[in-house]
Amino acid sequence: MPLLSGVVAFRVLVHSRHDLTEVLAHSDDTGEVISRIVPVRLTTIGAVTTWSANLWIDTSRLNVGKQKIHIRAWAGERLVGRMRRFVMVQSEETTLNTVPDATQSSSYVQSPDTPTDDITSWVLSQPVERHRPPGTLFSGPVKSILVLRTDQLGDVSASLPAMARLRRLFPQAKVTMLLQKSNVPVARASDVADEYLDLTLHYDPKTERRYLDAEADAHLRGQLCGRSFDLAIDLSPGAESQPILLLCSARYRVGFKPEQFPFLDFGIEVTSRERVNRKPVISHSAHVELLIFSLEQLMNQRREIVPRCRPAALQLNKACPHDRPIIVHAGARHPINRWPIENFLKLCGALAAASGRSVLLFLDEPVPDDAVRARCATLAGVTLMERLSMDAFDALVASAALFVANDTGPKHLAAARGVPVVSISIPRLNWQEWGQNQGGIILSRAVPCAGCGLNNRDTCGRDAVCITTISVETVLKAALDVFEQSKIE
């Protein structure tokens, strides 16, 4: 049952022989309309058309607790489709106490202070978010850590180097370790934690698995009750002890087998095979330490700059004979990722005027239409570039003073070359994953349907308003801020 809080999105597909005019969402307890939208036609096969409706609902208008939401599709005055969905509504206060990092997600939109019948306009009126390229994996300081290694003596002994490395990685954190009672003296003598909790696992020879009996389970729950940790990490590469992580309150949960355990916020899977018997060849100690090593690497996610070693092609000097140019790239493979071309044209003119630099505009289309060419010809300091070879394009990008683009391949190339980047990002994926690693700003809008992962713009149901409503003024301000900062540096 979905847990709802803040402003949420319901995307539904309706298959109908009729031309839909409206899709409504109704509250079950009051019967009032809580969302409405005109659906988008997707495809027609024979007499049946598929429609997409992306409803945004302010859950503060619903009573807390179990609810039913009714979705009804209309063709004029004719009801042509209906569905219902059971949900659990949670107050925002509870949500923010339970998940304090929720407001940092582009998918979490808090409800307005005053209820409104036009939640769409309210969401789109909120400021566009500025993000700096991702730094640490954790959004806040890690002051308390729970470490699990609930296996036998050999497993614990092999994990001591990983435990020591974890302690060095977070020297200011209080480390609490949970082990089988018989192994506590070994860990204590190694000084790998500040506090030690114990549990007793029994072994079933029939299933060849360890388990907690009722008494041991109660003892473990009693030790964890009321405790809260910034980080809880299970060092076992197996699959027996990870569920114990759910018994404690933790801001982040880390372990192995993240595909098997979706409650993990971060995890890795390590596989090695001997050529003949196909059994692992990486030592167990190294296997466990790889998890801590991965955490260490992600404490700072910025990767090194890789400068271009080959000299720039001579013919490129004509494009930027004096100062390093500003490059604007308006293309993207998926149309859903594209900021409107008219916005890019306005941005280019304003950037050239404000910066005093040449602005080079690239489009994806090999032959821009006449209207775009004519418009570019009126923009002082703006050059519409023809398509270049990849080597020539790379050389030109590496020479840029600033690169502005959609969230697409060229902006990553610019970042890898050490060029400051401003990217206009659609939140179909998390900006943390695909934001450039070096310098600049990522601009995105928080919307309730963020994280959709869609490539088809029509399926969105809202024509990608999350990117198309980012204003030229917002992008220009970010670009000039980054440009001025880069001159200082």
Short mmCIF file of all heavy atoms in Angstrom, two decimals, residues 169-197:
data_model
loop_
_atom_site.label_atom_id
_atom_site.label_comp_id
_atom_site.label_asym_id
_atom_site.label_seq_id
_atom_site.Cartn_x
_atom_site.Cartn_y
_atom_site.Cartn_z
N LEU A 169 37.82 5.93 9.09
CA LEU A 169 37.09 6.74 8.12
C LEU A 169 36.17 7.74 8.81
O LEU A 169 35.96 8.84 8.31
CB LEU A 169 36.29 5.82 7.18
CG LEU A 169 35.50 6.47 6.06
CD1 LEU A 169 36.42 7.27 5.14
CD2 LEU A 169 34.74 5.41 5.26
N PHE A 170 35.62 7.35 9.97
CA PHE A 170 34.72 8.22 10.72
C PHE A 170 35.27 8.39 12.14
O PHE A 170 34.71 7.86 13.11
CB PHE A 170 33.31 7.62 10.78
CG PHE A 170 32.66 7.44 9.43
CD1 PHE A 170 32.66 6.22 8.80
CD2 PHE A 170 32.06 8.52 8.80
CE1 PHE A 170 32.05 6.05 7.56
CE2 PHE A 170 31.45 8.37 7.56
CZ PHE A 170 31.44 7.14 6.94
N PRO A 171 36.36 9.13 12.28
CA PRO A 171 37.02 9.22 13.60
C PRO A 171 36.17 9.91 14.66
O PRO A 171 36.38 9.67 15.86
CB PRO A 171 38.29 10.01 13.30
CG PRO A 171 37.97 10.81 12.06
CD PRO A 171 37.06 9.93 11.27
N GLN A 172 35.22 10.75 14.26
CA GLN A 172 34.41 11.48 15.24
C GLN A 172 33.13 10.74 15.62
O GLN A 172 32.41 11.17 16.52
CB GLN A 172 34.02 12.86 14.67
CG GLN A 172 35.20 13.70 14.20
CD GLN A 172 36.22 13.93 15.28
OE1 GLN A 172 35.86 14.17 16.44
NE2 GLN A 172 37.50 13.85 14.94
N ALA A 173 32.85 9.63 14.95
CA ALA A 173 31.59 8.92 15.19
C ALA A 173 31.71 7.94 16.35
O ALA A 173 32.77 7.35 16.58
CB ALA A 173 31.17 8.17 13.92
N LYS A 174 30.60 7.76 17.05
CA LYS A 174 30.52 6.70 18.05
C LYS A 174 30.12 5.42 17.33
O LYS A 174 29.08 5.35 16.69
CB LYS A 174 29.49 7.03 19.13
CG LYS A 174 29.33 5.90 20.15
CD LYS A 174 28.25 6.21 21.17
CE LYS A 174 28.09 5.03 22.14
NZ LYS A 174 27.02 5.28 23.14
N VAL A 175 30.97 4.40 17.45
CA VAL A 175 30.75 3.14 16.75
C VAL A 175 30.22 2.09 17.72
O VAL A 175 30.84 1.83 18.76
CB VAL A 175 32.04 2.63 16.08
CG1 VAL A 175 31.80 1.29 15.39
CG2 VAL A 175 32.57 3.66 15.09
N THR A 176 29.08 1.53 17.40
CA THR A 176 28.48 0.44 18.18
C THR A 176 28.52 -0.82 17.33
O THR A 176 28.13 -0.79 16.16
CB THR A 176 27.02 0.77 18.55
OG1 THR A 176 26.99 1.97 19.32
CG2 THR A 176 26.41 -0.36 19.36
N MET A 177 29.00 -1.91 17.91
CA MET A 177 29.13 -3.14 17.15
C MET A 177 28.23 -4.22 17.71
O MET A 177 28.11 -4.39 18.92
CB MET A 177 30.58 -3.61 17.17
CG MET A 177 30.86 -4.78 16.23
SD MET A 177 32.59 -4.84 15.75
CE MET A 177 32.69 -3.40 14.69
N LEU A 178 27.56 -4.94 16.80
CA LEU A 178 26.68 -6.04 17.17
C LEU A 178 27.28 -7.34 16.67
O LEU A 178 27.46 -7.53 15.46
CB LEU A 178 25.28 -5.83 16.56
CG LEU A 178 24.26 -6.96 16.78
CD1 LEU A 178 23.96 -7.14 18.26
CD2 LEU A 178 22.98 -6.68 15.99
N LEU A 179 27.62 -8.22 17.62
CA LEU A 179 28.23 -9.51 17.29
C LEU A 179 27.60 -10.61 18.12
O LEU A 179 26.88 -10.35 19.09
CB LEU A 179 29.74 -9.49 17.58
CG LEU A 179 30.59 -8.33 17.10
CD1 LEU A 179 30.85 -7.35 18.22
CD2 LEU A 179 31.91 -8.85 16.54
N GLN A 180 27.92 -11.84 17.76
CA GLN A 180 27.54 -12.94 18.63
C GLN A 180 28.31 -12.81 19.95
O GLN A 180 29.46 -12.37 19.98
CB GLN A 180 27.84 -14.29 17.96
CG GLN A 180 26.94 -14.58 16.78
CD GLN A 180 26.71 -16.07 16.60
OE1 GLN A 180 26.23 -16.74 17.52
NE2 GLN A 180 27.05 -16.57 15.42
N LYS A 181 27.66 -13.20 21.01
CA LYS A 181 28.19 -12.96 22.35
C LYS A 181 29.60 -13.50 22.51
O LYS A 181 30.46 -12.86 23.14
CB LYS A 181 27.26 -13.59 23.38
CG LYS A 181 27.55 -13.19 24.81
CD LYS A 181 26.46 -13.70 25.74
CE LYS A 181 26.69 -13.22 27.17
NZ LYS A 181 25.60 -13.65 28.08
N SER A 182 29.88 -14.66 21.92
CA SER A 182 31.19 -15.28 22.10
C SER A 182 32.30 -14.51 21.41
O SER A 182 33.49 -14.66 21.75
CB SER A 182 31.17 -16.72 21.56
OG SER A 182 30.81 -16.72 20.18
N ASN A 183 31.95 -13.66 20.43
CA ASN A 183 32.97 -12.93 19.67
C ASN A 183 33.23 -11.52 20.17
O ASN A 183 34.15 -10.84 19.69
CB ASN A 183 32.56 -12.87 18.19
CG ASN A 183 32.59 -14.22 17.52
OD1 ASN A 183 33.42 -15.06 17.85
ND2 ASN A 183 31.66 -14.44 16.59
N VAL A 184 32.45 -11.07 21.13
CA VAL A 184 32.61 -9.71 21.64
C VAL A 184 34.01 -9.48 22.20
O VAL A 184 34.63 -8.43 21.95
CB VAL A 184 31.52 -9.39 22.69
CG1 VAL A 184 31.83 -8.08 23.41
CG2 VAL A 184 30.15 -9.31 22.02
N PRO A 185 34.58 -10.41 22.99
CA PRO A 185 35.93 -10.17 23.53
C PRO A 185 36.97 -9.91 22.45
O PRO A 185 37.88 -9.10 22.64
CB PRO A 185 36.24 -11.44 24.32
CG PRO A 185 34.89 -11.98 24.70
CD PRO A 185 34.01 -11.68 23.53
N VAL A 186 36.86 -10.60 21.31
CA VAL A 186 37.84 -10.41 20.23
C VAL A 186 37.74 -8.99 19.67
O VAL A 186 38.76 -8.32 19.46
CB VAL A 186 37.61 -11.45 19.11
CG1 VAL A 186 38.51 -11.16 17.91
CG2 VAL A 186 37.87 -12.86 19.63
N ALA A 187 36.53 -8.54 19.42
CA ALA A 187 36.35 -7.19 18.88
C ALA A 187 36.77 -6.13 19.89
O ALA A 187 37.42 -5.13 19.54
CB ALA A 187 34.88 -6.99 18.48
N ARG A 188 36.42 -6.36 21.16
CA ARG A 188 36.78 -5.38 22.21
C ARG A 188 38.29 -5.27 22.34
O ARG A 188 38.83 -4.16 22.47
CB ARG A 188 36.15 -5.78 23.54
CG ARG A 188 36.46 -4.81 24.65
CD ARG A 188 35.79 -5.17 25.96
NE ARG A 188 34.37 -4.82 25.96
CZ ARG A 188 33.39 -5.70 26.07
NH1 ARG A 188 33.66 -7.00 26.16
NH2 ARG A 188 32.12 -5.31 26.07
N ALA A 189 38.98 -6.39 22.25
CA ALA A 189 40.44 -6.37 22.37
C ALA A 189 41.09 -5.69 21.17
O ALA A 189 42.23 -5.22 21.26
CB ALA A 189 40.97 -7.80 22.50
N SER A 190 40.35 -5.60 20.05
CA SER A 190 40.88 -4.96 18.85
C SER A 190 40.57 -3.47 18.80
O SER A 190 41.03 -2.78 17.87
CB SER A 190 40.29 -5.64 17.60
OG SER A 190 40.53 -7.03 17.64
N ASP A 191 39.76 -3.00 19.75
CA ASP A 191 39.40 -1.58 19.85
C ASP A 191 38.80 -1.05 18.53
O ASP A 191 39.16 0.02 18.05
CB ASP A 191 40.61 -0.75 20.24
CG ASP A 191 40.22 0.67 20.68
OD1 ASP A 191 39.08 0.83 21.17
OD2 ASP A 191 41.03 1.60 20.49
N VAL A 192 37.85 -1.82 17.97
CA VAL A 192 37.24 -1.41 16.71
C VAL A 192 35.89 -0.73 16.93
O VAL A 192 35.21 -0.38 15.97
CB VAL A 192 37.07 -2.62 15.77
CG1 VAL A 192 38.43 -3.10 15.26
CG2 VAL A 192 36.32 -3.75 16.45
N ALA A 193 35.47 -0.56 18.18
CA ALA A 193 34.19 0.10 18.47
C ALA A 193 34.24 0.74 19.84
O ALA A 193 35.15 0.50 20.64
CB ALA A 193 33.04 -0.92 18.40
N ASP A 194 33.24 1.59 20.10
CA ASP A 194 33.12 2.24 21.40
C ASP A 194 32.16 1.48 22.32
O ASP A 194 32.20 1.64 23.54
CB ASP A 194 32.59 3.67 21.22
CG ASP A 194 33.51 4.50 20.34
OD1 ASP A 194 34.64 4.79 20.79
OD2 ASP A 194 33.10 4.85 19.23
N GLU A 195 31.28 0.70 21.71
CA GLU A 195 30.25 -0.01 22.47
C GLU A 195 29.97 -1.33 21.76
O GLU A 195 30.02 -1.41 20.51
CB GLU A 195 28.98 0.84 22.54
CG GLU A 195 27.83 0.19 23.33
CD GLU A 195 26.55 1.02 23.25
OE1 GLU A 195 26.44 1.86 22.33
OE2 GLU A 195 25.67 0.81 24.10
N TYR A 196 29.63 -2.35 22.54
CA TYR A 196 29.40 -3.68 21.97
C TYR A 196 28.06 -4.22 22.43
O TYR A 196 27.76 -4.25 23.63
CB TYR A 196 30.54 -4.63 22.36
CG TYR A 196 31.89 -4.15 21.88
CD1 TYR A 196 32.66 -3.30 22.67
CD2 TYR A 196 32.36 -4.49 20.62
CE1 TYR A 196 33.88 -2.81 22.23
CE2 TYR A 196 33.59 -4.02 20.16
CZ TYR A 196 34.34 -3.18 20.97
OH TYR A 196 35.56 -2.70 20.52
N LEU A 197 27.25 -4.63 21.46
CA LEU A 197 25.99 -5.31 21.72
C LEU A 197 26.14 -6.75 21.30
O LEU A 197 26.95 -7.08 20.43
CB LEU A 197 24.84 -4.65 20.95
CG LEU A 197 24.67 -3.14 21.12
CD1 LEU A 197 23.49 -2.64 20.28
CD2 LEU A 197 24.48 -2.77 22.59
#
